[in-house]
Amino acid sequence: MERFKFQIQFRSCLRKHCFIFNRRNMAEAKAKEDYVHVSKKMRTDVCSNAIDSTTDKKCDSDQSGDRDNLFKTFENFEVQRILNNSEDHKSIAVVGRLKGKEGNAVIMLKKLAFNAEKIEEIFSGKTETKTLFRNDIYYNSTAWMPRELNELGATIIYPAEEKHVLKYERQSSSFVFETPELFKEVTKPFIESASFSKEWIYNILEHKKEEDRIVFEDPDPETGFILLPDMKWTGEQIEDLYLQAIVHRRDLTCIRDLRGNHIPLLKNILKKGTEAIMEKYGIPAHKLRIYIHYLPSFYHLHVHFTALSFDAPGTWIGKAFTLSSVISNLNLRPDHYQFAELSFTLKDNHPLHAKFEEKGKVFSM
């Protein structure tokens, strides 16, 4: 049998750390421009408190202007240690300090998906290659693309607290078996006392921050939500589409709070969220993965929308509950999540891990 295989590995270097990327087939739908414009640049405004860049530190407008200039480059950033170097996700997370500044910063860099609209620029004289070896018709090479075609996504948290470091630090995980009693005794007190600040969420809901990133909004106080790109997505490559719907209600923290009377809210998110994504990005509902995390990264109810073509983090068993199954469970029993025994994965360095271990509800993976 004749075979043809041509593999090019793209290398993008940050200081002494290099990432190698494999070429893959790309398909991208054409985005429509009827909805609110989505910014094509990654937000690094630490005072905007964008999704998953949570911090308890609050900023006024003057401080925000000053802090915007702190990370124009990484010239004054000193890496203290690597938290996670993921070959699977082509990302690296580090903790370090800015020279002359107080406090730590957590920075996560990730190689972005290739932009199909720039494919001719990539496969041109602008890209240089170096053959590592050749065997008959098979070549193994590295390639250097022009700077403008080789962007990295950057998530920056400054000033970062220890809980931010723990969030991005690579750790082994365990399965936790949470009974309703353990939720009341262990998890709920943690949510109320030790979770991340919600100020950045309220900034979005009140249109104080990131208004230009809103894709769709239903302002209804009971069933409404704001749909906007996740911070991990630039809004450019449809292949790795990732958005979040943040509910306007402030009394719902996580899946445990959901009851039968919240079904209209969840159905509204499902219907209008998928319609908005189809309208703007051309991706139908059956090409989307729609789910809720438990435990979530922040405790204000939100729903994730990702393209099936994107191997998004946190979509595995023990982390994600599909929105359709949540609605189905509440239809069968309105108080399902009040009495359900839920199992989920938990990092071994998570503050809750030791508490569950004391109760004998941790199972090693």
Side-chain angles (χ1 to χ4, degrees):
M1 181 183 294
E2 293 185 359
R3 298 181 305 165
F4 178 79
K5 177 181 178 183
F6 186 84
Q7 180 184 40
I8 298 179
Q9 296 175 315
F10 291 90
R11 185 185 301 270
S12 174
C13 297
L14 170 70
R15 297 186 184 228
K16 297 182 181 179
H17 305 289
C18 300
F19 304 95
I20 298 177
F21 306 93
N22 295 323
R23 178 188 174 195
R24 60 182 178 178
N25 293 328
M26 298 170 292
E28 182 172 4
K30 180 177 177 60
K32 299 180 182 180
E33 301 298 334
D34 297 343
Y35 276 69
V36 181
H37 172 67
V38 179
S39 173
K40 291 189 175 183
K41 295 296 181 183
M42 178 65 67
R43 293 287 295 273
T44 57
D45 175 2
V46 296
C47 291
S48 72
N49 287 328
I51 293 179
D52 282 344
S53 277
T54 51
T55 176
D56 288 337
K57 306 297 182 182
K58 296 182 181 180
C59 311
D60 57 33
S61 58
D62 294 336
Q63 290 175 323
S64 177
D66 293 340
R67 294 190 182 190
D68 278 346
N69 297 318
L70 291 179
F71 295 98
K72 291 295 185 182
T73 72
F74 292 134
E75 180 180 4
N76 296 317
F77 182 71
E78 299 176 337
V79 176
Q80 294 175 319
R81 64 187 176 95
I82 297 174
L83 300 176
N84 192 0
N85 188 358
S86 173
E87 294 183 3
D88 291 339
H89 294 102
K90 306 297 185 292
S91 66
I92 190 168
V94 302
V95 60
R97 302 180 70 89
L98 286 169
K99 292 181 181 178
K101 301 290 184 180
E102 296 183 358
N104 290 329
V106 170
I107 299 178
M108 194 271 281
L109 299 177
K110 182 177 182 179
K111 177 64 181 178
L112 301 178
F114 294 105
N115 189 339
E117 292 183 355
K118 298 179 180 179
I119 199 70
E120 292 184 359
E121 294 183 63
I122 294 173
F123 290 95
S124 69
K126 296 180 180 180
T127 299
E128 299 179 4
T129 64
K130 177 183 177 181
T131 300
L132 301 178
F133 67 86
R134 181 177 70 86
N135 185 349
D136 192 30
I137 62 172
Y138 305 107
Y139 295 75
N140 189 289
S141 305
T142 53
W144 290 267
M145 296 188 300
R147 176 180 177 182
E148 64 272 15
L149 300 176
N150 200 24
E151 290 182 317
L152 295 173
T155 298
I156 301 172
I157 304 175
Y158 176 77
E161 301 178 33
E162 182 62 21
K163 57 190 174 185
H164 299 110
V165 175
L166 294 176
K167 176 180 177 180
Y168 285 91
E169 187 174 33
R170 183 180 182 87
Q171 280 282 320
S172 59
S173 297
S174 302
F175 249 109
V176 168
F177 188 71
E178 184 188 74
T179 63
E181 292 73 27
L182 281 175
F183 172 75
K184 295 176 183 178
E185 296 174 12
V186 177
T187 311
K188 190 173 182 180
F190 170 79
I191 293 174
E192 294 173 345
S193 63
S195 59
F196 293 113
S197 167
K198 297 181 183 180
E199 188 66 25
W200 65 276
I201 302 171
Y202 302 151
N203 285 340
I204 293 173
L205 295 177
E206 296 169 7
H207 290 215
K208 294 179 180 179
K209 296 288 184 177
E210 305 189 54
E211 186 174 11
D212 61 327
R213 303 178 74 237
I214 295 175
V215 172
F216 174 83
E217 179 175 13
D218 181 339
D220 189 281
E222 295 296 320
T223 62
F225 63 96
I226 284 180
L227 181 70
L228 76 168
D230 184 278
M231 190 179 180
K232 293 180 279 295
W233 186 49
T234 63
E236 291 187 334
Q237 295 80 223
I238 303 301
E239 188 182 41
D240 60 345
L241 176 140
Y242 193 166
L243 298 100
Q244 292 197 41
I246 303 176
V247 303
H248 278 295
R249 295 183 59 148
R250 303 190 182 189
D251 59 330
L252 301 175
T253 61
C254 64
I255 199 173
R256 282 288 193 185
D257 291 335
L258 294 175
R259 303 290 184 268
N261 62 307
H262 300 128
I263 291 177
L265 166 64
L266 301 179
K267 285 186 173 181
N268 191 49
I269 292 173
L270 181 62
K271 181 178 184 295
K272 293 183 179 178
T274 53
E275 289 176 348
I277 291 173
M278 179 62 189
E279 180 70 19
K280 181 167 183 63
Y281 302 107
I283 299 182
H286 65 274
K287 295 291 185 181
L288 295 172
R289 184 183 286 111
I290 308 167
Y291 54 96
I292 299 175
H293 279 153
Y294 192 73
L295 295 174
S297 56
F298 58 92
Y299 291 93
H300 179 105
L301 187 68
H302 57 285
V303 178
H304 300 259
F305 291 77
T306 63
L308 285 178
S309 57
F310 176 42
D311 184 18
T315 57
W316 55 83
I317 293 175
K319 183 64 176 179
F321 294 76
T322 62
L323 181 57
S324 58
S325 66
V326 172
I327 294 173
S328 178
N329 286 335
L330 292 174
N331 270 321
L332 291 172
R333 182 174 177 176
D335 56 1
H336 173 81
Y337 291 102
Q338 182 178 0
F339 296 101
E341 297 177 337
L342 302 178
S343 59
F344 54 89
T345 58
L346 194 65
K347 280 186 174 182
D348 290 349
N349 67 349
H350 194 284
L352 284 176
H353 185 274
K355 295 183 181 296
F356 279 105
E357 196 169 36
E358 291 175 2
K359 303 287 186 178
K361 296 297 180 178
V362 172
F363 305 93
S364 298
M365 295 177 64

